[in-house]
């Protein structure tokens, strides 16, 4: 376990090597939060009501902040693995005495944490100024638990797409489409509560709702029933996708073709 | 002029042949991008299903704006693919190559790469327009003209932003930020923004010319809109070429401009 | 037990055939053609523990593919292999503790961080304790003369300095076997010499077996006792480096200088005069040592005048290897 911590650690150090870069990269969230605020301010004002589908403008904004932090801060693992296959550096990763997937997990976490922290900090400051103070402190740990599950689901999806690079030349389109599914069915740009009922049902029977909506919604309203539903959903989908990932890894390894033979 | 055009044509022909070399990439990326755009747009379908309009801006407007932006974005990728990584070319000292050849440096550099997914974006724009419910044949002609002018403004904006690399020394992250700002502002309803913000959208990040203004022109012909778009395209292009050449005097072939990232 | 034991190993890749020209490309868009490449074809060899074995061949000969199979990265299409008693593709992680690898074209040090960070990370990965890691780093730093480089971010090192750090990193866990894939590629002459010396010293000190691929015969001459030459995925030659020289370096080059001028038509029986210098003091000759004994040539040379200087040399190994490839091609 110590070695995975060391991998996590060096990635952490690496992403902190250029603080200015980290900050510039995170400025993106200011742009998005500002424009979200314009959209929802106008939308709420036009409806003439303070609460829409159980959410206030402030709720909506903090919901979007958490979703956006996760989206912009999650590791771009699919891209990383396919790049490692393309340039052959995968060779070094496979001939070290560690589990390849656990390596990717710890290195992804080390890369992701400082970014998510910075995004949340910058985006949170702007959101506070525009829409009001953040949710109650008691909501935070609840959201955090769901955030871990959501992050792991993203990891599984990304790693699966990355492993596809073992056998296929081009994995970028899969990544785009997975991302757009988390946008639409995960409720990243619009809280799922605003969706028609049938679409909410669809979304909640797929993994996407547990990857975005879950932690974001719990952050603004930590309802126990919802918490149970989200955690259960994450558990089920993590088992399915995790199993699939292990299977894909052992299969994919046999078919790996590395450039520069 | 004719000679440069011939040169461009032969560059594009070579690019096309190169794209065909990697046809699997070309096809999967293009199809993937069409799917990607389609799924992404569903967010707006869901939004307008619930909220009908944003200060008079409706789903049909979104279809057209999205169509213009996607086609213009794709067109730039197809014809001037290096417009997206001019900054890297400058910091990496790779302008040397273009400077050493007896052809217009900027034009040559820009047209020396094809973004394989660009074709998908370009095509999707037309699908989006056709799906808007406002399709007419002369509308299509205006759509094509509007896309060309929007692409010119977008190219100019990319050149301006990345020419700053000559002075700043780095620019990759900043470029990413600028591209995101341009696209986001172009794709959101312009009715959201107050007067001050609109000045920015016309003059600083000219997203209005990649979204609302050409969309208005597609809906109804007007000499003044056409004039405005042509003026914007010419003005921004002139500024871009001027700035690039001013920067070129400071170009140090990557020996002094060392990228830290 | 041999360090490496390979029996009829083979590996096939399938790639798309790419046609030239726009028209052909468009046609094959509809109907792509595939072809299989046999990167390795029935390779069999053995390597003893602590042996220094060179694996030489032109680009695309199958050298790297073989190394990648032996480290467990690639699954072979056929045949068997054991490395330090492990089947690499089945026991990759157990094997990993005992081998070190360097792929010359791919850096494994973290680019933005000082090399010491990567070395410390590797210490953790190979489960060394911190004291051990520290001591080992100090040892390697001395052997590879990188003490002053360890704290510098890797991106600021020269290629030669970086490669020394790379090789040092691959030795951190005291592997029994070092697999070096083109370790000297892209280096200048001095840097090449530097890295070869360090590898040779470390290998001798710790009895590390070294399997080295290269297309530079200089690496082979400097480092290896035995050589396997492959081409098109097959062994075309294997023997001791000295034997290779003896059986293929049959012709000798002689340069002599005399105290007095010689005739413009200077000749020695059984040799071929390559050149008589303009001022006619120096002569260059070539002869086949199997036909004309060296002693006889020497005697004849000293009988021809007062010798001031004499050098006898072998032609460079590159020429020999080129001749072997040539022979292999002709056989096909």
């Amino acid at each position: 376990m110590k070695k995975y911590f060391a991998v996590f650690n060096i990635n952490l150090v690496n992403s902190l090597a250029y603080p200015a870069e980290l900050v510039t990269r995170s400025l993106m969230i200011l742009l998005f939060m500002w424009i979200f605020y314009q959209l929802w301010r106008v939308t709420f004002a036009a409806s003439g009501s303070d609460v829409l589908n159980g959410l206030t403008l402030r709720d909506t904004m903090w919901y979007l902040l958490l979703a956006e932090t996760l989206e912009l801060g999650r590791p771009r693992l699919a891209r990383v693995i396919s790049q490692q296959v393309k340039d052959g550096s995968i060779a070094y990763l496979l001939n070290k005495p560690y589990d390849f997937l656990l390596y990717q997990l710890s290195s992804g976490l080390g890369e992701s944490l400082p970014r998510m922290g910075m995004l949340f900090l910058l985006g949170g400051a702007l959101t506070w100024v525009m829409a009001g103070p953040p949710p109650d402190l008691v909501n935070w740990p609840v959201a955090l638990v769901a955030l871990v599950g959501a992050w792991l689901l993203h990891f599984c999806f990304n790693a699966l797409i990355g492993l596809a690079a073992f056998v296929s030349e081009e994995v970028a389109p899969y990544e785009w489409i997975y991302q757009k599914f988390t946008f639409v069915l995960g409720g990243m740009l619009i809280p799922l509560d605003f969706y028609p009922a049938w679409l909410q049902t669809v979304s909640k029977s797929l993994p996407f709702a547990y990857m975005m909506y879950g932690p974001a919604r719990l952050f603004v309203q930590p309802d126990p029933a919802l918490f149970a539903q989200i955690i259960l959903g994450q558990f089920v989908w993590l088992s399915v996708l995790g199993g699939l990932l292990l299977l894909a890894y052992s299969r994919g390894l046999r078919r790996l073709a590395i450039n520069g033979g | 002029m004719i000679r440069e055009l011939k040169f461009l044509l032969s560059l594009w022909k070579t690019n096309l042949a190169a794209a065909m070399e990697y046809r699997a990439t070309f096809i999967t990326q293009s199809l993937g991008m069409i799917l990607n755009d389609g799924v992404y747009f569903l967010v707006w379908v869901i939004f307008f299903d619930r909220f009908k309009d944003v200060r008079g801006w409706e789903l049909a407007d979104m279809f057209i704006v999205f169509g213009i932006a996607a086609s213009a974005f794709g067109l730039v990728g197809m014809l001037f693919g290096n417009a997206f990584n001019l900054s890297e070319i400058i910091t990496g000292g790779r302008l040397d190559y273009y400077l050493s050849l007896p052809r217009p440096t900027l034009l040559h550099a820009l047209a020396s790469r094809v973004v394989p997914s660009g074709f998908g974006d370009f095509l999707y724009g037309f699908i989006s327009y056709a799906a808007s419910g406002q399709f007419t044949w002369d509308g299509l002609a205006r759509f094509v003209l509007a896309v060309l002018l929007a692409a010119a403004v977008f190219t100019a904006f990319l050149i301006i932003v990345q020419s700053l690399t000559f002075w700043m020394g780095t620019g990759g992250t900043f470029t990413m930020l600028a591209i995101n700002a341009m696209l986001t502002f172009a794709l959101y309803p312009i009715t959201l923004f107050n007067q001050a913000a609109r000045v920015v959208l016309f003059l600083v990040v000219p997203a209005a010319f990649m979204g609302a203004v050409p969309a208005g022109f597609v809906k109804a012909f007007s000499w003044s809109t056409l004039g405005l778009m042509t003026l914007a395209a010419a003005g921004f292009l002139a500024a871009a070429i001027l700035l690039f050449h001013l920067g070129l005097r400071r170009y140090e072939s990557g020996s002094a401009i060392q990228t830290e990232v | 037990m041999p360090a490496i034991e390979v029996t009829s190993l083979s590996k096939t890749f399938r790639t798309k055939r790419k046609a030239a020209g726009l028209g052909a490309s468009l046609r094959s868009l509809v109907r792509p053609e595939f072809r299989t490449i046999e990167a390795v074809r029935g390779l069999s060899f053995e390597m003893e523990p602590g042996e220094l074995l060179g694996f030489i061949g032109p680009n695309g000969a199958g050298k790297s593919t073989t190394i990648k199979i032996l480290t467990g990265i690639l699954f072979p299409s056929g045949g068997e292999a054991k490395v330090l008693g492990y089947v690499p593709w089945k026991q990759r992680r157990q094997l990993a503790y005992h081998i070190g690898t360097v792929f010359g074209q791919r850096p494994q040090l973290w680019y933005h961080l000082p090399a010491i960070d990567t070395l410390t990370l590797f210490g953790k990965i190979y489960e060394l304790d911190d004291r051990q890691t520290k001591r080992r780093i100090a040892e390697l730093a001395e052997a590879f003369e990188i003490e002053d480089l360890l704290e510098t971010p890797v991106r600021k090192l020269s290629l030669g300095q970086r490669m020394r750090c790379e090789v040092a990193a691959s030795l951190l866990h005291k592997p029994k076997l070092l697999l070096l894939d083109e370790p000297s590629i892209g280096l200048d002459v001095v840097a090449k010499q530097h890295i070869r010396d360090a590898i040779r010293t470390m290998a001798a000190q710790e009895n590390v077996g070294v399997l080295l691929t290269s297309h530079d015969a200089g690496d082979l001459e400097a480092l290896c006792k035995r050589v396997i030459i492959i081409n098109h995925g097959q062994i075309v030659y294997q023997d001791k480096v000295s034997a290779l020289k003896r059986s293929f370096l049959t012709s000798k080059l002689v340069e002599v200088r005399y105290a007095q001028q010689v005739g413009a038509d200077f000749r020695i029986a059984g040799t071929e005069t390559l050149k008589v210098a303009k001022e006619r003091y120096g002569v260059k000759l070539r002869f086949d040592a199997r036909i004309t004994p060296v002693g006889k040539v020497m005697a004849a040379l000293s009988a021809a005048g007062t010798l001031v200087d004499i050098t006898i040399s072998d032609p460079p190994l590159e020429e020999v290897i080129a001749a072997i490839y040539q022979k292999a091609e002709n056989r096909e």
Side-chain angles (χ1 to χ4, degrees), chain C residues 138-174:
Chain C
E139 244 171 65
L140 291 167
E142 202 194 321
F144 284 88
E145 296 175 43
I146 50 174
E147 291 101 328
D148 304 332
L149 309 177
L150 287 177
E151 306 285 339
T152 317
V154 170
R155 65 173 187 283
K156 292 190 176 148
L157 301 179
S158 74
L159 187 60
Q161 293 171 330
R162 215 167 71 199
M163 274 319 289
R164 262 150 50 213
C165 295
E166 293 274 357
V167 179
S170 73
L171 284 166
L172 186 82
H173 54 296
K174 299 202 178 164

Short mmCIF file of all heavy atoms in Angstrom, two decimals, chain C residues 138-174:
data_model
loop_
_atom_site.label_atom_id
_atom_site.label_comp_id
_atom_site.label_asym_id
_atom_site.label_seq_id
_atom_site.Cartn_x
_atom_site.Cartn_y
_atom_site.Cartn_z
N ALA C 138 23.04 6.89 -3.25
CA ALA C 138 24.38 7.45 -3.12
C ALA C 138 25.39 6.62 -3.92
O ALA C 138 26.24 7.16 -4.64
CB ALA C 138 24.79 7.49 -1.65
N GLU C 139 25.26 5.30 -3.81
CA GLU C 139 26.14 4.39 -4.54
C GLU C 139 26.05 4.64 -6.05
O GLU C 139 27.06 4.79 -6.75
CB GLU C 139 25.65 2.96 -4.30
CG GLU C 139 26.57 2.04 -3.57
CD GLU C 139 25.81 0.76 -3.23
OE1 GLU C 139 25.42 0.01 -4.16
OE2 GLU C 139 25.57 0.55 -2.03
N LEU C 140 24.81 4.66 -6.53
CA LEU C 140 24.59 4.83 -7.97
C LEU C 140 25.04 6.20 -8.44
O LEU C 140 25.60 6.35 -9.53
CB LEU C 140 23.11 4.62 -8.30
CG LEU C 140 22.61 3.19 -8.14
CD1 LEU C 140 21.09 3.17 -8.17
CD2 LEU C 140 23.17 2.31 -9.26
N ALA C 141 24.79 7.20 -7.60
CA ALA C 141 25.16 8.57 -7.97
C ALA C 141 26.66 8.65 -8.21
O ALA C 141 27.12 9.32 -9.13
CB ALA C 141 24.72 9.54 -6.88
N GLU C 142 27.40 7.92 -7.37
CA GLU C 142 28.84 7.93 -7.53
C GLU C 142 29.24 7.21 -8.82
O GLU C 142 30.02 7.72 -9.62
CB GLU C 142 29.49 7.29 -6.31
CG GLU C 142 30.94 7.72 -6.14
CD GLU C 142 31.66 6.83 -5.16
OE1 GLU C 142 31.05 6.44 -4.15
OE2 GLU C 142 32.82 6.50 -5.43
N ALA C 143 28.69 6.01 -9.00
CA ALA C 143 29.07 5.20 -10.16
C ALA C 143 28.75 5.91 -11.47
O ALA C 143 29.50 5.81 -12.43
CB ALA C 143 28.36 3.85 -10.10
N PHE C 144 27.62 6.61 -11.50
CA PHE C 144 27.20 7.24 -12.75
C PHE C 144 27.57 8.73 -12.80
O PHE C 144 27.18 9.44 -13.72
CB PHE C 144 25.69 7.07 -12.96
CG PHE C 144 25.33 5.68 -13.40
CD1 PHE C 144 25.09 4.69 -12.47
CD2 PHE C 144 25.26 5.35 -14.74
CE1 PHE C 144 24.78 3.40 -12.86
CE2 PHE C 144 24.94 4.08 -15.15
CZ PHE C 144 24.71 3.09 -14.21
N GLU C 145 28.28 9.18 -11.77
CA GLU C 145 28.69 10.59 -11.68
C GLU C 145 27.51 11.53 -11.87
O GLU C 145 27.54 12.43 -12.72
CB GLU C 145 29.79 10.89 -12.71
CG GLU C 145 31.06 10.09 -12.44
CD GLU C 145 32.10 10.29 -13.52
OE1 GLU C 145 32.27 11.43 -13.95
OE2 GLU C 145 32.72 9.29 -13.93
N ILE C 146 26.48 11.31 -11.06
CA ILE C 146 25.30 12.17 -11.18
C ILE C 146 24.98 12.86 -9.86
O ILE C 146 23.88 13.38 -9.68
CB ILE C 146 24.06 11.37 -11.65
CG1 ILE C 146 23.88 10.11 -10.80
CG2 ILE C 146 24.17 11.01 -13.11
CD1 ILE C 146 22.61 9.34 -11.10
N GLU C 147 25.94 12.87 -8.94
CA GLU C 147 25.68 13.48 -7.62
C GLU C 147 25.11 14.88 -7.76
O GLU C 147 24.18 15.27 -7.05
CB GLU C 147 26.97 13.57 -6.78
CG GLU C 147 27.54 12.25 -6.31
CD GLU C 147 28.72 11.80 -7.17
OE1 GLU C 147 28.71 12.12 -8.38
OE2 GLU C 147 29.64 11.15 -6.64
N ASP C 148 25.69 15.66 -8.69
CA ASP C 148 25.30 17.06 -8.79
C ASP C 148 24.04 17.27 -9.62
O ASP C 148 23.54 18.38 -9.73
CB ASP C 148 26.44 17.87 -9.44
CG ASP C 148 27.74 17.71 -8.69
OD1 ASP C 148 27.66 17.46 -7.46
OD2 ASP C 148 28.81 17.81 -9.31
N LEU C 149 23.56 16.21 -10.22
CA LEU C 149 22.41 16.36 -11.13
C LEU C 149 21.10 15.97 -10.47
O LEU C 149 20.03 16.30 -10.96
CB LEU C 149 22.60 15.47 -12.37
CG LEU C 149 23.94 15.61 -13.09
CD1 LEU C 149 24.01 14.63 -14.24
CD2 LEU C 149 24.11 17.03 -13.60
N LEU C 150 21.19 15.26 -9.35
CA LEU C 150 19.99 14.65 -8.79
C LEU C 150 18.93 15.65 -8.36
O LEU C 150 17.74 15.35 -8.37
CB LEU C 150 20.37 13.77 -7.58
CG LEU C 150 21.07 12.46 -7.94
CD1 LEU C 150 21.45 11.71 -6.68
CD2 LEU C 150 20.16 11.60 -8.80
N GLU C 151 19.36 16.85 -7.98
CA GLU C 151 18.40 17.83 -7.46
C GLU C 151 17.83 18.74 -8.56
O GLU C 151 17.00 19.59 -8.29
CB GLU C 151 19.07 18.70 -6.39
CG GLU C 151 19.74 17.93 -5.25
CD GLU C 151 18.74 17.34 -4.27
OE1 GLU C 151 17.60 17.85 -4.25
OE2 GLU C 151 19.10 16.40 -3.56
N THR C 152 18.34 18.57 -9.78
CA THR C 152 17.90 19.44 -10.88
C THR C 152 16.69 18.83 -11.57
O THR C 152 16.68 17.64 -11.83
CB THR C 152 19.02 19.57 -11.92
OG1 THR C 152 20.25 19.75 -11.23
CG2 THR C 152 18.78 20.70 -12.87
N PRO C 153 15.67 19.65 -11.88
CA PRO C 153 14.55 19.10 -12.63
C PRO C 153 15.05 18.45 -13.93
O PRO C 153 15.91 19.01 -14.61
CB PRO C 153 13.69 20.32 -12.94
CG PRO C 153 14.00 21.27 -11.84
CD PRO C 153 15.44 21.03 -11.49
N VAL C 154 14.52 17.29 -14.24
CA VAL C 154 15.04 16.49 -15.35
C VAL C 154 15.03 17.24 -16.66
O VAL C 154 15.91 17.08 -17.50
CB VAL C 154 14.23 15.17 -15.44
CG1 VAL C 154 14.55 14.41 -16.70
CG2 VAL C 154 14.51 14.31 -14.22
N ARG C 155 14.04 18.12 -16.85
CA ARG C 155 13.94 18.83 -18.13
C ARG C 155 15.15 19.72 -18.37
O ARG C 155 15.42 20.12 -19.49
CB ARG C 155 12.66 19.66 -18.18
CG ARG C 155 12.61 20.78 -17.18
CD ARG C 155 11.40 21.68 -17.37
NE ARG C 155 11.51 22.83 -16.49
CZ ARG C 155 11.25 22.79 -15.19
NH1 ARG C 155 10.86 21.67 -14.64
NH2 ARG C 155 11.37 23.87 -14.44
N LYS C 156 15.89 20.04 -17.30
CA LYS C 156 17.04 20.93 -17.48
C LYS C 156 18.35 20.17 -17.72
O LYS C 156 19.40 20.78 -17.85
CB LYS C 156 17.18 21.84 -16.26
CG LYS C 156 16.04 22.84 -16.17
CD LYS C 156 16.26 23.90 -15.13
CE LYS C 156 15.12 24.91 -15.17
NZ LYS C 156 14.84 25.47 -13.85
N LEU C 157 18.29 18.84 -17.74
CA LEU C 157 19.50 18.05 -17.96
C LEU C 157 19.73 17.86 -19.46
O LEU C 157 18.79 17.88 -20.25
CB LEU C 157 19.38 16.68 -17.31
CG LEU C 157 19.13 16.66 -15.79
CD1 LEU C 157 19.00 15.22 -15.32
CD2 LEU C 157 20.25 17.36 -15.05
N SER C 158 20.99 17.63 -19.82
CA SER C 158 21.26 17.27 -21.21
C SER C 158 20.87 15.82 -21.42
O SER C 158 20.67 15.07 -20.47
CB SER C 158 22.75 17.45 -21.52
OG SER C 158 23.47 16.40 -20.90
N LEU C 159 20.76 15.44 -22.68
CA LEU C 159 20.33 14.07 -22.98
C LEU C 159 21.26 13.04 -22.35
O LEU C 159 20.83 12.04 -21.78
CB LEU C 159 20.26 13.88 -24.49
CG LEU C 159 19.67 12.55 -24.96
CD1 LEU C 159 18.24 12.40 -24.46
CD2 LEU C 159 19.70 12.44 -26.47
N GLY C 160 22.56 13.30 -22.42
CA GLY C 160 23.54 12.37 -21.86
C GLY C 160 23.40 12.25 -20.34
O GLY C 160 23.41 11.16 -19.80
N GLN C 161 23.23 13.39 -19.69
CA GLN C 161 23.04 13.38 -18.24
C GLN C 161 21.77 12.64 -17.87
O GLN C 161 21.73 11.86 -16.93
CB GLN C 161 22.94 14.83 -17.73
CG GLN C 161 24.24 15.60 -17.87
CD GLN C 161 24.05 17.08 -17.56
OE1 GLN C 161 22.97 17.64 -17.78
NE2 GLN C 161 25.10 17.72 -17.06
N ARG C 162 20.73 12.87 -18.66
CA ARG C 162 19.45 12.24 -18.38
C ARG C 162 19.55 10.72 -18.52
O ARG C 162 19.03 9.99 -17.69
CB ARG C 162 18.40 12.79 -19.34
CG ARG C 162 17.06 12.90 -18.70
CD ARG C 162 16.14 13.71 -19.54
NE ARG C 162 15.77 13.01 -20.75
CZ ARG C 162 15.27 13.62 -21.82
NH1 ARG C 162 15.14 14.92 -21.83
NH2 ARG C 162 14.94 12.92 -22.88
N MET C 163 20.25 10.27 -19.57
CA MET C 163 20.37 8.83 -19.77
C MET C 163 21.13 8.18 -18.62
O MET C 163 20.81 7.07 -18.22
CB MET C 163 21.07 8.52 -21.10
CG MET C 163 20.17 8.48 -22.31
SD MET C 163 18.59 7.69 -22.04
CE MET C 163 19.13 5.99 -21.90
N ARG C 164 22.14 8.88 -18.09
CA ARG C 164 22.85 8.32 -16.95
C ARG C 164 21.92 8.16 -15.76
O ARG C 164 21.95 7.15 -15.06
CB ARG C 164 24.05 9.21 -16.60
CG ARG C 164 25.32 8.66 -17.19
CD ARG C 164 26.34 9.69 -17.54
NE ARG C 164 26.66 10.64 -16.50
CZ ARG C 164 26.98 11.91 -16.74
NH1 ARG C 164 27.04 12.34 -17.99
NH2 ARG C 164 27.26 12.72 -15.78
N CYS C 165 21.07 9.17 -15.56
CA CYS C 165 20.08 9.07 -14.47
C CYS C 165 19.09 7.94 -14.74
O CYS C 165 18.68 7.22 -13.84
CB CYS C 165 19.33 10.39 -14.31
SG CYS C 165 20.37 11.75 -13.77
N GLU C 166 18.69 7.80 -16.02
CA GLU C 166 17.73 6.74 -16.38
C GLU C 166 18.30 5.37 -16.05
O GLU C 166 17.63 4.53 -15.45
CB GLU C 166 17.42 6.78 -17.89
CG GLU C 166 16.65 7.99 -18.36
CD GLU C 166 15.14 7.82 -18.21
OE1 GLU C 166 14.69 6.74 -17.79
OE2 GLU C 166 14.42 8.80 -18.51
N VAL C 167 19.55 5.14 -16.45
CA VAL C 167 20.14 3.82 -16.21
C VAL C 167 20.33 3.61 -14.71
O VAL C 167 20.05 2.53 -14.18
CB VAL C 167 21.49 3.66 -16.96
CG1 VAL C 167 22.10 2.30 -16.67
CG2 VAL C 167 21.28 3.82 -18.46
N ALA C 168 20.76 4.65 -14.01
CA ALA C 168 20.91 4.54 -12.57
C ALA C 168 19.57 4.15 -11.93
O ALA C 168 19.51 3.26 -11.07
CB ALA C 168 21.41 5.86 -11.99
N ALA C 169 18.48 4.77 -12.39
CA ALA C 169 17.16 4.48 -11.84
C ALA C 169 16.79 3.01 -12.06
O ALA C 169 16.19 2.38 -11.20
CB ALA C 169 16.12 5.39 -12.46
N SER C 170 17.19 2.48 -13.19
CA SER C 170 16.82 1.10 -13.49
C SER C 170 17.62 0.11 -12.65
O SER C 170 17.29 -1.07 -12.59
CB SER C 170 17.03 0.80 -14.97
OG SER C 170 18.41 0.72 -15.24
N LEU C 171 18.67 0.57 -11.98
CA LEU C 171 19.50 -0.32 -11.16
C LEU C 171 19.19 -0.18 -9.68
O LEU C 171 19.79 -0.87 -8.85
CB LEU C 171 20.98 -0.01 -11.40
CG LEU C 171 21.56 -0.54 -12.71
CD1 LEU C 171 22.91 0.10 -12.98
CD2 LEU C 171 21.69 -2.05 -12.67
N LEU C 172 18.26 0.69 -9.35
CA LEU C 172 18.00 1.03 -7.95
C LEU C 172 17.72 -0.20 -7.09
O LEU C 172 18.23 -0.34 -5.99
CB LEU C 172 16.81 1.99 -7.86
CG LEU C 172 16.56 2.50 -6.45
CD1 LEU C 172 17.49 3.66 -6.14
CD2 LEU C 172 15.12 2.92 -6.24
N HIS C 173 16.94 -1.13 -7.60
CA HIS C 173 16.51 -2.29 -6.80
C HIS C 173 17.45 -3.48 -6.97
O HIS C 173 17.05 -4.60 -6.73
CB HIS C 173 15.08 -2.66 -7.15
CG HIS C 173 14.89 -2.89 -8.62
ND1 HIS C 173 15.05 -1.89 -9.56
CD2 HIS C 173 14.55 -3.98 -9.32
CE1 HIS C 173 14.82 -2.37 -10.76
NE2 HIS C 173 14.52 -3.64 -10.65
N LYS C 174 18.69 -3.24 -7.38
CA LYS C 174 19.68 -4.29 -7.58
C LYS C 174 19.12 -5.46 -8.39
O LYS C 174 19.05 -6.59 -7.91
CB LYS C 174 20.20 -4.82 -6.24
CG LYS C 174 20.88 -3.76 -5.43
CD LYS C 174 21.83 -4.38 -4.42
CE LYS C 174 22.52 -3.27 -3.65
NZ LYS C 174 23.17 -3.72 -2.44
#
